[in-house]
């Protein structure tokens, strides 16, 4: 690994992020993966972006399905985040680990979670080893009032302290 890549990864590990599960459906098959690269892009219209590794099964699927939901996890859902991040667990097995309802776009929505967004694919951008997907938010809902899962310095954290 190059010195720049090592330094880059170390610097980026100092940027805390929330953890979510992105889900979609194509035909009758549900897909999902854990992400921490998720952000608001626009308020008018409401849009968000997610970044997906090109090697991930979800990458090509999102271009075909043209829809996805973002399920923001609470601090009790670390095991679920790990399951959806584990490439050795088949998709149908991942979805057996929790209850999911269908959104308006038919994308699976985790029940319960902190909050979720149901999105229609607006655009995607090929960037290095990832694809940036921009989704226009069709529906947004806050479900629970708990602390989120935070990913920071390659570890999972479950409590926030207000300053």
């Amino acid at each position: 690994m190059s010195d720049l890549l090592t330094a880059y990864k170390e610097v980026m590990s100092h940027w805390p992020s929330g953890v979510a599960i992105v889900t979609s459906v194509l035909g009758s098959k549900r897909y999902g993966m854990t992400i921490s690269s998720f952000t608001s892009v626009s308020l008018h219209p409401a849009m968000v972006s997610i970044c997906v590794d090109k090697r991930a099964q979800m990458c090509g699927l999102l271009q075909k399905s043209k829809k996805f939901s973002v399920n923001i996890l609470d601090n009790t859902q670390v095991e679920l985040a790990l399951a959806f991040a584990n490439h050795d667990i088949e998709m149908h097995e991942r979805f057996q680990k929790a209850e999911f309802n269908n959104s308006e776009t038919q994308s699976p929505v985790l029940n319960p979670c902190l909050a979720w967004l149901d999105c229609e694919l607006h655009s995607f951008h090929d960037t290095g080893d990832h694809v940036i997907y921009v989704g226009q938010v069709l529906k947004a809902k806050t479900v629970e009032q708990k602390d989120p899962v935070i990913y920071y310095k390659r570890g999972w954290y479950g409590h926030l302290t207000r300053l």
Side-chain angles (χ1 to χ4, degrees):
M1 189 178 315
S2 74
D3 290 343
L4 176 59
L5 182 56
T6 301
Y8 172 74
K9 289 174 73 173
E10 183 62 24
V11 167
M12 293 310 297
S13 78
H14 285 73
W15 182 252
S17 63
V19 180
I21 293 175
V22 171
T23 58
S24 189
V25 64
L26 185 60
S28 62
K29 194 164 181 185
R30 299 185 297 180
Y31 295 84
M33 67 179 287
T34 301
I35 64 163
S36 60
S37 185
F38 160 67
T39 191
S40 171
V41 172
S42 170
L43 293 176
H44 304 287
M47 291 189 190
V48 297
S49 70
I50 60 172
C51 296
V52 180
D53 189 311
K54 289 179 182 176
R55 297 171 296 173
Q57 190 175 7
M58 287 285 290
C59 196
L61 167 89
L62 289 170
Q63 293 171 33
K64 293 175 186 171
S65 71
K66 301 188 182 338
K67 56 192 171 189
F68 61 90
S69 288
V70 179
N71 302 273
I72 300 172
L73 302 182
D74 70 47
N75 64 359
T76 68
Q77 296 173 313
V78 172
E79 290 300 320
L80 189 61
L82 291 169
F84 272 80
N86 186 337
H87 300 293
D88 294 330
I89 299 176
E90 297 291 328
M91 286 292 173
H92 70 278
E93 292 176 43
R94 296 176 190 187
F95 283 96
Q96 292 174 352
K97 296 184 178 297
E99 181 182 335
F100 288 84
N101 300 321
N102 289 337
S103 67
E104 290 178 18
T105 66
Q106 299 306 305
S107 295
V109 172
L110 179 60
N111 182 28
C113 61
L114 284 182
W116 56 266
L117 301 162
D118 195 25
C119 304
E120 179 178 20
L121 183 63
H122 175 270
S123 59
F124 59 92
H125 311 276
D126 189 320
T127 55
D129 58 4
H130 280 62
V131 175
I132 301 170
Y133 290 94
V134 178
Q136 183 165 346
V137 178
L138 304 176
K139 186 165 185 177
K141 183 167 181 162
T142 300
V143 180
E144 295 196 327
Q145 298 298 319
K146 293 183 178 178
D147 283 337
V149 177
I150 303 294
Y151 191 72
Y152 174 67
K153 293 181 82 175
R154 299 176 187 92
W156 305 83
Y157 296 84
H159 300 285
L160 297 176
T161 302
R162 187 173 296 272
L163 301 177

